[in-house]
Amino acid sequence: MNNKKFTTRLLPAMIALGMAAQAQAEIKLYDQEGTTFSTDGLINAFYVHSDNDGREQSRVKMGFLPNWIGFNFGKETGDLKLGARSSFWVSINDSDVVRANNQGRGESLGTDTGIDVRQFYGTVDGDWGQVLIGKDFGLFNRTNIMSDELLLGYGQTSDALGLIDGGNVSFGNIGSGYTYPFPKAQITYRSPTRNGLQLAVGIFDPSKSSADSSEDAPRFEGELTYTVNTDSMDFKAWLGGLYQSSDDPVADTSVDSTGVSYGANVKFGDLSLTASGFQSEGIHPAAIDNFVADESVELDGYLVQGSYSFGPNRVALSYGENEGDNGADFTYENTAVAWFYTVNSNLKLIAEYDQTEISGSTLGTEKNDTMAFGAVLTW
């Protein structure tokens, strides 16, 4: 499997989640007679130095989150509240491949920073819950990634997946703790929160196992969350799932893709502890997205993290690992320590060290040490 070529092709659409950061701030542009319109956004950049088995590289890149600007709409209509969100995500890096191919030719290089629309959906809210229609992130492994202590940081990179020289985001802990809940067309229902419990279930545009494959049913995803907040403790637990079937009449093959994701977070004052994991079958061994793969491919991943806040500082420790079995032979690990300094509600400074190790026949053997220093500006 040519992993660099695969990832380079996928990266323009491989934009990481930002919903947790998105909720930090917004600017209201209009608020009259039950109608609201607001904007939010994020800009970040890191100086990154990596040592990959002796090959050293210095870059100026985005972190796990790309840069984005989002727009939100809301309107009260009797017993219902209508809403909508669109977000536009961009890379700050151009393609080195374009430059290399045009050196000395006198051709205009331009830029290669495309705009990617990760969210474009509408919502209808009532006493009975919420229905979302449009394009948004998936439910399987959704809270796993949103609970990542390194969400605003940098995360793991590797040569095997083309991440060191790539022009887009790093991978956070995608592939070393969870899979990516890739944005897809969906119709999703979320129940009201009762006694700390909330259920989200949805039908999603399915992934194809081949150009000739047939999917006679959509993909099904769901997630159940439970939260408890007291004076001394905050607790959250979640359980998610995925199912999809794909048949290829030409190759005479059938793939049932299944997955279970889970986790828990507990906070005691300034201390936060998180443990999450997942198991799946029939999902691509690179664990970049929930793409359909051979049914024999089995993935097993987990992520354990802890953070402590003191004043404007937060220090986080993280270890994550994914293992592939049967149709995929690899172990992908990432160990990280990060320091976050809050200058104010809109600006954070970050220093992070990641050590990524890969072994097995599918992705090869690799050890990569990465230092990242950056800033994140939100509104």
Side-chain angles (χ1 to χ4, degrees), residues 91-102:
S91 166
I92 64 172
N93 297 96
D94 295 310
S95 171
D96 289 334
V97 176
V98 172
R99 294 191 184 98
N101 289 342
N102 286 277

Side-chain angles (χ1 to χ4, degrees), residues 147 149 234-238 263-267 272-275 305:
S147 302
E149 294 279 4
D234 294 327
F235 177 78
K236 183 175 184 177
W238 62 92
N265 168 260
V266 60
K267 295 179 181 178
S272 175
L273 301 172
T274 306
Q305 297 181 314

Side-chain angles (χ1 to χ4, degrees), residues 112-136:
D112 195 36
T113 50
I115 296 176
D116 195 5
V117 181
R118 297 289 83 197
Q119 297 170 299
F120 210 102
Y121 63 78
T123 55
V124 181
D125 286 80
D127 294 339
W128 38 264
Q130 180 194 82
V131 172
L132 180 149
I133 56 173
K135 183 179 183 180
D136 194 16

Side-chain angles (χ1 to χ4, degrees), residues 340-359:
F340 300 83
Y341 181 80
T342 301
V343 178
N344 53 49
S345 60
N346 300 100
L347 178 63
K348 293 182 185 295
L349 305 178
I350 301 162
E352 182 176 326
Y353 169 73
D354 289 85
Q355 185 178 83
T356 306
E357 296 189 50
I358 306 172
S359 60

Side-chain angles (χ1 to χ4, degrees), residues 238-257:
W238 62 92
L239 177 67
L242 170 152
Y243 175 79
Q244 183 195 310
S245 181
S246 179
D247 299 309
D248 187 339
V250 176
D252 193 25
T253 59
S254 179
V255 178
D256 288 332
S257 299

